[in-house]
Amino acid sequence: DLLQQVEARRLAGDQWCTVQLLLCDLFQRCGQFEEALNACRQALAASEDAARQAQVYRRMGKLYECRNQLHALRYYQQAIERFQPVAPDTAALFAEVLKDRSWLYNLRQEWDLAERDLQQALDVAPAAEKVLVADIYDSMASLYRKTARHREALAYAERSLALREEVGDLLAVAKSLGNLGFLYRAMGEYGHAVAAHKEAMSTYEKLGNQEL
């Protein structure tokens, strides 16, 4: 309600764009698709900066992921084009968009395109962005598990777990252990799968997360 009361004439272009991006995120969390999409369009109209426009197009892609995959892919492409050439201050955002698009390719079973995007995301993601890199490793592991390249999947899953342990995010660590458990199960190594799931469960218990 507060954000909707802000008047455009009181703000510079980029500030108005920021307000609309915040509104988009809130509407998306509330499941209000049309309102979120309209906020994105308002943000696009308010900024001529390519990097800002890329952020808007990425949000539009995410809005369409479960509604129209081809629309989502087009919006992701718009975002990717606006991040070119990749600058140091936008490299992490560029890698995020590539990761998002790879998930959509993965869903569509377009394995080669998904792998290409993930590899490019790894190439440009700053090493300091450990959470992002761990997420990309996880996506690689998922892709290789689905295509029965289990040894490669295991290598990426272990790298993801190591990074998440380094960051110290116990919830993410437990989820990585769960992913390892699924991978070991796919490989027929049930003892390792049970051990990984037990360790994940123990971490969830320490965090008080009964649902997981």
Side-chain angles (χ1 to χ4, degrees), residues 64-137:
Y64 272 105
E65 274 183 350
C66 298
R67 288 174 173 263
N68 187 319
Q69 293 178 355
L70 292 178
H71 274 6
L73 287 172
R74 279 195 287 270
Y75 285 128
Y76 283 144
Q77 181 60 31
Q78 292 285 341
I80 286 165
E81 287 174 5
R82 281 162 176 76
F83 277 128
Q84 303 286 359
V86 184
D89 59 332
T90 60
L93 290 170
F94 180 56
E96 285 272 13
V97 179
L98 289 168
K99 178 176 66 69
D100 290 341
R101 190 171 70 171
S102 77
W103 179 85
L104 203 51
Y105 282 140
N106 198 335
L107 198 64
R108 293 166 59 84
Q109 298 186 5
E110 297 180 42
W111 312 122
D112 290 344
L113 293 175
E115 184 175 10
R116 182 201 64 188
D117 275 0
L118 287 174
Q119 189 56 63
Q120 190 178 0
L122 277 180
D123 291 342
V124 301
E129 297 286 342
K130 294 180 181 179
V131 173
L132 171 59
V133 175
D135 288 344
I136 298 170
Y137 284 158

Side-chain angles (χ1 to χ4, degrees), residues 170-172 174-175 200-212:
L170 291 181
L171 183 61
K175 288 181 178 178
M201 286 173 65
S202 174
T203 305
Y204 289 136
E205 285 173 356
K206 287 176 185 174
L207 294 171
N209 192 323
Q210 293 300 314
E211 182 183 4
L212 287 172

